[in-house]
């Protein structure tokens, strides 16, 4: 059973940076599960729907939503089952619980989420 766990959340002031990590365990392949499948970061702010933030596909470029373009970067470590979300110049509207997600054979897997709070 594939399990994902996020880490790296916290409280920062506007303009600050955080690096979120997502680790995967229970995968059958020796490859990084985040580079051979479609992998995404989502976030959910209080009272709002969950929204995608960034994605990576196995054979295409990565992408981020317009509101974080130029500030957030998604990446993965080829030597381990890790995925990252580098978040710079954080804004109060980035406050949310952030989730990592990977689709393996069309089945989605989610982590429990990590809280990011940005104060003005």
């Amino acid at each position: 059973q594939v399990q994902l766990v996020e880490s790296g959340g916290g409280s920062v002031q506007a303009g600050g940076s955080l690096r979120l990590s997502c680790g995967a365990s229970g995968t059958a392949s020796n490859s990084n599960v985040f580079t051979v499948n479609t992998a995404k970061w989502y976030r959910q702010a209080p009272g709002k729907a969950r929204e995608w933030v960034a994605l990576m596909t196995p054979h295409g470029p990565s992408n981020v939503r317009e509101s974080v373009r130029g500030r957030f970067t998604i990446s993965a470590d080829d030597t381990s089952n890790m995925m990252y979300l580098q978040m710079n110049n954080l804004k109060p509207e980035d406050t949310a619980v952030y989730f990592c997600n990977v689709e393996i054979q069309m089945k989605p897997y989610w982590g429990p989420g990590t809280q990011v709070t940005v104060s003005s």
Side-chain angles (χ1 to χ4, degrees), residues 4-9 20-23 41 98-101 110-114:
L4 306 181
V5 178
E6 303 93 343
S7 61
L20 304 184
S21 300
C22 178
W41 285 95
Y98 284 71
F99 302 88
C100 60
N101 164 276
W110 294 88
T114 185

Side-chain angles (χ1 to χ4, degrees), residues 24 26-37 77-82:
T27 59
S29 171
N30 291 326
S31 301
N32 185 328
V33 68
F34 299 112
T35 59
V36 299
N37 298 285
D77 186 346
D78 286 335
T79 64
S80 65
N81 260 337
M82 297 292 293

Side-chain angles (χ1 to χ4, degrees), residues 36-85:
V36 299
N37 298 285
T38 297
K40 301 177 185 178
W41 285 95
Y42 284 79
R43 67 186 180 187
Q44 187 165 18
K48 294 188 177 181
R50 190 172 297 189
E51 63 183 17
W52 79 274
V53 177
L55 69 87
M56 295 189 303
T57 57
H59 303 296
S62 60
N63 197 12
V64 297
R65 69 183 299 111
E66 181 63 31
S67 62
V68 306
R69 193 156 295 152
R71 302 188 296 120
F72 290 15
T73 304
I74 186 173
S75 63
D77 186 346
D78 286 335
T79 64
S80 65
N81 260 337
M82 297 292 293
M83 178 173 70
Y84 306 98
L85 184 67

